[in-house]
Amino acid sequence: MSDVTRISNQYLTVDISALGSEMQALTAADGRSFLWNGDAAFWNGRSPVLFPMVGKAPENRISVEGKSYEMGQHGFARRSEFTLASSSGTMCRYELAASDATRAVYPFEFLLAVEHALDGRTLTVAAEVENRDARAMPFGLGFHPAFVWPIPGGVGAHTITLDNGAEPALTRLEGGLVKPEKLPSPFKAGGLTLDHAMFDADAMIFPEGAGDGLTYAAEGGPALKFSFENLPNLALWQKPGAPFICIEPWHGTAAELGGSDDIARRPYGVVLQPGEKARFAFTVELPA
């Protein structure tokens, strides 16, 4: 059983596991629970961190400089034990450094740090990636938090509203890989009314144009407000019929259907030069 760190303030309590530096619970002072509980009957994830890739690779293999490596969906960070580097009452930072196990599937020296921090009713989840290698390091990083649907206290229709009012093109998956076709946007003037049937064909992916913020709300009821930093891609996902919605900001997507297995050629990926760092973060403001 992995260690769990609890942070809290007068409004919120958050539990974070050393396994994957994954949030396990997000609870208001009055007992309302906003994070999916990981019921394996639907999906045993709660809020995994995706690194060093988002989504699947062709035949579950990536290549680096022509050499092939096995890599499961969403990478290895979510199944790795992190080390607690620092914590206070309202913040904790977990770190994952390269090891023999990671080098066997991803031959780079790196440090991945994930920090959860509370400020009032707002939670910030930030990831920092450092290239400790002597060569350029390609990767993808994403967040995969699942929030309960319906929102506690919410009845009726639930909506996603993009701050930028856009209608970003939709892409879909086939065998876990991104299909090249761009489909009409389900958003109208930035608004989308959620319907469980939308996810019968797996995730809805918006590679471009979704902006850096959105609101997930019950019509006329409680709302969760999100903002994103250095996370240009957005996915929405639900296991069909499950009582949650995953709001997933990414930098990088699954490999393209029929495309390369080279991790450096994955869509929207990141490349850090030796010694460079990059930060990725989302915030969510919970209702009063």
Side-chain angles (χ1 to χ4, degrees):
M1 190 73 175
S2 297
D3 290 340
V4 173
T5 299
R6 171 166 288 182
I7 61 175
S8 64
N9 62 16
Q10 67 187 99
Y11 303 107
L12 300 171
T13 297
V14 184
D15 292 336
I16 305 101
S17 174
L19 181 62
S21 189
E22 182 177 2
M23 182 165 46
Q24 300 295 294
L26 175 58
T27 309
D30 60 8
R32 288 174 297 165
S33 181
F34 292 93
L35 193 74
W36 169 240
N37 64 13
D39 182 353
F42 290 104
W43 181 56
N44 63 4
R46 300 176 191 229
S47 184
V49 177
L50 317 181
F51 175 86
M53 71 177 198
V54 175
K56 293 196 73 171
E59 306 298 326
N60 290 317
R61 301 194 71 84
I62 61 168
S63 65
V64 177
E65 298 172 348
K67 186 174 180 181
S68 181
Y69 300 86
E70 185 173 356
M71 181 73 73
Q73 185 175 22
H74 294 318
F76 54 73
R78 62 181 181 151
R79 301 182 185 89
S80 298
E81 285 284 340
F82 283 60
T83 299
L84 183 63
S86 61
S87 66
S88 67
T90 58
M91 180 279 296
C92 73
R93 176 185 172 99
Y94 277 100
E95 295 180 348
L96 177 70
S99 64
D100 289 345
T102 68
R103 294 180 195 107
V105 295
Y106 180 68
F108 296 96
E109 299 300 310
F110 68 89
L111 180 71
L112 168 63
V114 179
E115 185 176 293
H116 292 73
L118 290 172
D119 181 6
R121 290 187 175 85
T122 298
L123 167 69
T124 299
V125 184
E128 183 181 84
V129 180
E130 178 184 355
N131 180 2
R132 294 181 164 180
D133 213 279
R135 55 188 167 151
M137 186 179 80
F139 65 94
L141 186 137
F143 298 101
H144 197 320
F147 297 91
V148 292
W149 175 9
I151 300 169
V155 295
H158 280 51
T159 60
I160 300 284
T161 304
L162 303 177
D163 288 358
N164 65 3
E167 298 178 357
L170 170 68
T171 60
R172 288 287 194 176
L173 300 172
E174 182 174 322
L177 304 179
V178 176
K179 298 167 72 172
E181 296 84 6
K182 295 291 191 294
L183 302 173
S185 181
F187 285 93
K188 301 301 179 188
L192 172 68
T193 299
L194 292 170
D195 184 329
H196 294 284
M198 291 176 171
F199 304 100
D200 290 346
D202 209 332
M204 297 195 295
I205 298 170
F206 306 94
E208 298 177 344
D212 57 9
L214 62 79
T215 300
Y216 165 49
E219 285 188 343
L224 283 64
K225 298 180 179 180
F226 294 80
S227 62
F228 309 126
E229 176 188 340
N230 198 22
L231 295 162
N233 323 122
L234 176 69
L236 302 174
W237 177 75
Q238 176 207 54
K239 204 68 174 283
F244 67 79
I245 179 74
C246 287
I247 297 171
E248 305 181 41
W250 301 338
H251 202 315
T253 71
E256 292 180 331
L257 185 66
S260 173
D261 65 358
D262 187 340
I263 193 169
R265 297 176 62 185
R266 291 172 70 90
Y268 306 96
V270 183
V271 178
L272 289 183
Q273 298 304 314
E276 286 187 336
K277 298 179 182 179
R279 173 184 159 93
F280 313 84
F282 77 90
T283 67
V284 54
E285 180 183 349
L286 280 297

